[in-house]
Amino acid sequence: MSLLVVGLSHRSAPVSVLERAALTADAQVKLVHDTVAAEPATEAAVLATCNRIELYADVDKFHAGVAELSTLLAQHSGVGLDELTPYLYVHYEDRAVHHLFSVACGLDSMVVGEGQILGQIKDSLATAQEQHTAGRLLNDLFQQSLRVGKRAHSETGIDRAGQSLVTFGLEQLAAGAPVETWAKGKRALVIGAGSMSSLAAATLARAGVAEVVIANRTLERAERLAQILIEGDDTDVLARAVPMETVPDELTRADVVVSCTGATGLVLTAESVAAALEGRVEGPVAPDAGAGPAVRITEAAPIRGDLPPTSLGTEEGCPLDLSAVQGTAHFSVLGEAAVAGMPAAELEQHAAWVDKGAEEPRSGRTAVAAEPETEAELISALAATVATIGRIPERRRPEPVFEAPRPAPVLSLLDLAMPRDIDAAVHRLLGVRLVDIESLAEASADAPMAADVDQVRRIVSDEVAAFGAAQRAAHITPTVVALRSMAAEVVAGEIARLEGRLPGLDDKHRAEITQTVRRVVDKLLHAPTVRVKQLAAEPGGAGYADALRTLFDLDPETVASVSRADDTKSTENTENAKNRGRA
């Protein structure tokens, strides 16, 4: 059996595809069950975060495994296989181990070095264990990846290379200002009460916001998170829980909103955010019952502003009524945009007028009006240019385009959900700043890499080699155990035959003879079994188990039974460890 991973992440797929392929918790459970039910796989686990979806499996056939896992990902994500395939990546055996270890260390995260991925890997393993789809290989792999990730964070400065996605997102909202300075005194609304939302609430509380309001579909979870914030030793923040249906009202009072839910549709539409902006009031806000002290709200900027009039449409002699189109939304009468899409005849008139108006007397020369024939040639040439390059050359210096200043945001939105919680159209609202997974991906592409990243990569390489050696050595262990079991049966048979030939042996002599024969067998098997374990741990050593079974004519079923017993023991140890952790 061999480890195979098929997945897609922010490195291989655009956010729009990741958003559509996102799996709910129920879909993840169904996916791992369907994977182990498929012929090539015996174990399965899903690692699903806001920027990756990966399916891990222990398979006996590579090509069949890739085909089956890809098909299952497409089926459960709802994205067609033809559309999903270009964005999928595949890792096999040692490369799959290297990939997961790199992910655990934060090397493959959107924000390099972030530590939240360790909790997500832990959750993924717990789900596979609860569903009984993780056997010896995936248990060992995921537990070792957690140890590698912790080692990377404790032995290097990888934490300095990046922060959690929450912190990075808040830094983007702060637009260069220290998060603590930007957040101080603000009122925050956190939508959701899962791990990411809890981290966001705690981060905002430590940053110095005046109040954190938590909205969740299950009110009890929101209340529990609010209580944790209130009782925290490192914060002094007011916190309260509200039901989801009160989000529109809370939105009119909030300065910062962080949303990360498991919803499959939008939680905040552009219309609801626009309505919240219009509903904001100046000065102190009277708190609702149990809402804590009032927080001063800054006046919202208008959603749209009016552009100042331009003089282009009033110039004498212009054959076109440019002022008639100046009030059209998103239409400029300046520069080339003024004539985009106009009929060819009007283009010719406008071009001729612009061309005539552009010439100025030089060195005392007087501009001479063009003859009708010359003018006709000019118009024809300009029409040909328009047909070729799609625009007219503008020879006069265009007036500077007026750009309305965008006001400072009064409402900052951070969307950490996948699929997104907040409508991307919110980007177009004045007075609002939205940071989502897509904009975080763009911002993180230019983030500097810390020198410690190279050290973490060396740790990952060393751990991959050690894991591979341990797995190869473990692979031959059932064969060695079966060989020793066969040797013990041979000794027992020979002692029984000796008793038949020498019935007068007393117990003392019988025990001495038995012990002597066993010592001889143990000494004969010791060196070969130790050496074969060493050889099997080396790359390419998997064939030694087969050679041992062939040389000693070992029963395959005996070897398989030993493997099953080891897997059962490993599972029991895992369950005991989980129970001790709960206690």
Side-chain angles (χ1 to χ4, degrees):
M1 304 299 285
S2 300
L3 177 66
L4 175 67
V5 56
V6 177
L8 66 161
S9 73
H10 65 101
R11 296 187 183 275
S12 69
V15 172
S16 58
V17 174
L18 281 173
E19 184 177 34
R20 292 170 53 208
L23 299 173
T24 64
D26 290 341
Q28 293 175 39
V29 171
K30 186 71 166 57
L31 176 56
V32 294
H33 280 296
D34 287 354
T35 302
V36 295
E39 182 181 349
T42 58
E43 302 180 34
V46 174
L47 177 58
T49 71
C50 58
N51 52 33
R52 78 177 62 252
I53 304 163
E54 295 176 346
L55 177 56
Y56 290 77
D58 187 7
V59 300
D60 58 1
K61 298 174 184 176
F62 172 73
H63 293 289
V66 172
E68 189 66 35
L69 267 60
S70 301
T71 301
L72 288 170
L73 271 176
Q75 289 176 353
H76 288 273
S77 67
V79 180
L81 184 59
D82 291 343
E83 184 180 358
L84 192 64
T85 297
Y87 305 113
L88 293 178
Y89 48 77
V90 175
H91 297 295
Y92 190 54
E93 294 187 330
D94 284 353
R95 289 301 309 170
V97 177
H98 188 281
H99 174 73
L100 181 58
F101 287 4
S102 298
V103 169
C105 293
L107 293 181
D108 198 59
S109 295
M110 190 178 293
V111 182
V112 175
E114 60 95 10
Q116 188 181 1
I117 185 65
L118 288 175
Q120 293 163 332
I121 292 175
K122 186 177 180 181
D123 292 342
S124 176
L125 175 59
T127 299
Q129 289 172 340
E130 290 169 359
Q131 301 302 319
H132 304 289
T133 62
R136 170 185 285 275
L137 177 60
L138 292 187
N139 269 303
D140 291 349
L141 175 69
F142 275 72
Q143 288 173 0
Q144 185 65 20
S145 70
L146 293 172
R147 288 190 286 268
V148 174
K150 292 175 182 177
R151 179 187 170 193
H153 284 279
S154 63
E155 295 184 12
T156 74
I158 190 66
D159 290 333
R160 296 192 297 269
Q163 317 91 340
S164 72
L165 205 58
V166 171
T167 304
F168 189 60
L170 293 177
E171 287 182 349
Q172 299 304 305
L173 287 178
V179 172
E180 291 76 10
T181 303
W182 168 81
K184 188 174 180 60
K186 283 184 167 60
R187 187 169 185 166
L189 170 62
V190 176
I191 305 176
S195 58
M196 185 78 80
S197 299
S198 300
L199 179 60
T203 303
L204 287 166
R206 286 193 294 269
V209 295
E211 182 182 21
V212 177
V213 179
I214 302 155
N216 193 56
R217 297 192 185 280
T218 305
L219 186 58
E220 291 77 13
R221 294 189 65 183
E223 291 173 340
R224 186 161 56 248
L225 177 55
Q227 192 63 31
I228 291 173
L229 293 176
I230 293 172
E231 296 175 352
D233 296 333
D234 56 344
T235 62
D236 183 17
V237 65
L238 295 173
R240 60 186 175 90
V242 297
M244 284 292 288
E245 54 267 24
T246 65
V247 165
D249 291 335
E250 297 295 341
L251 201 59
T252 63
R253 305 183 182 104
D255 302 300
V256 185
V257 178
V258 179
S259 186
C260 186
T261 72
T264 55
L266 293 175
V267 175
L268 295 180
T269 63
E271 291 76 11
S272 64
V273 174
L277 287 176
E278 294 176 358
R280 294 172 76 89
V281 296
E282 299 181 38
V285 176
D288 293 337
V295 179
R296 189 178 67 83
I297 302 297
T298 308
E299 181 182 7
I303 301 301
R304 294 185 55 185
D306 296 326
L307 293 175
T310 180
S311 61
L312 264 182
T314 62
E315 294 189 25
E316 296 181 0
C318 178
L320 304 179
D321 185 11
L322 297 180
S323 61
V325 297
Q326 184 172 356
T328 304
H330 308 298
F331 190 88
S332 169
V333 299
L334 304 177
E336 296 172 5
V339 294
M342 289 184 180
E346 294 184 359
L347 283 175
E348 293 174 3
Q349 296 177 38
H350 183 261
W353 176 74
V354 170
D355 184 56
K356 289 168 61 179
E359 296 293 336
E360 296 180 358
R362 297 179 184 173
S363 304
R365 289 166 49 200
T366 303
V368 180
E371 296 294 330
E373 295 80 3
T374 305
E375 188 173 85
E377 291 177 0
L378 274 172
I379 293 175
S380 299
L382 285 168
T385 302
V386 171
T388 303
I389 66 174
R391 65 182 179 86
I392 61 168
E394 187 169 353
R395 296 185 180 178
R396 72 174 180 179
R397 180 179 300 174
E399 296 183 13
V401 178
F402 175 80
E403 294 184 3
R406 193 174 181 94
V410 297
L411 182 59
S412 300
L413 306 173
L414 177 58
D415 186 359
L416 299 175
M418 183 65 67
R420 73 184 74 213
D421 279 347
I422 303 176
D423 191 347
V426 168
H427 276 297
R428 296 195 292 267
L429 297 177
L430 295 184
V432 175
R433 176 167 171 76
L434 171 63
V435 171
D436 54 18
I437 293 296
E438 190 166 10
S439 55
L440 285 176
E442 294 173 358
S444 64
D446 299 326
M449 299 288 284
D452 300 272
V453 168
D454 288 336
Q455 186 178 351
V456 172
R457 286 176 176 153
R458 287 192 293 271
I459 290 175
V460 168
S461 296
D462 292 344
E463 292 285 355
V464 169
F467 183 82
Q471 289 298 306
R472 288 188 292 270
H475 179 68
I476 203 170
T477 297
T479 303
V480 172
V481 172
L483 174 60
R484 289 192 172 275
S485 296
M486 185 192 73
E489 290 175 2
V490 170
V491 170
E494 289 301 318
I495 294 299
R497 190 166 61 173
L498 181 62
E499 290 179 350
R501 291 181 179 180
L502 301 174
L505 278 177
D506 56 29
D507 293 342
K508 179 179 179 181
H509 288 91
R510 186 185 299 108
E512 186 63 35
I513 293 172
T514 301
Q515 188 64 27
T516 299
V517 175
R518 286 175 177 169
R519 279 198 300 267
V520 170
V521 172
D522 287 342
K523 287 182 178 181
L524 287 174
L525 292 180
H526 177 72
T529 53
V530 170
R531 183 59 180 150
V532 79
K533 286 182 178 180
Q534 294 172 344
L535 293 171
E538 297 176 359
Y544 286 100
D546 295 332
L548 207 59
R549 288 193 292 270
T550 301
L551 287 172
F552 288 92
D553 193 23
L554 298 176
D555 181 12
E557 180 55 34
T558 302
V559 177
S561 64
V562 174
S563 298
R564 288 193 295 269
D566 286 347
D567 288 341
T568 302
K569 184 177 180 181
S570 175
T571 302
E572 290 175 351
N573 290 338
T574 300
E575 291 295 331
N576 291 336
K578 288 168 60 180
N579 292 333
R580 287 194 298 270
R582 295 190 187 101

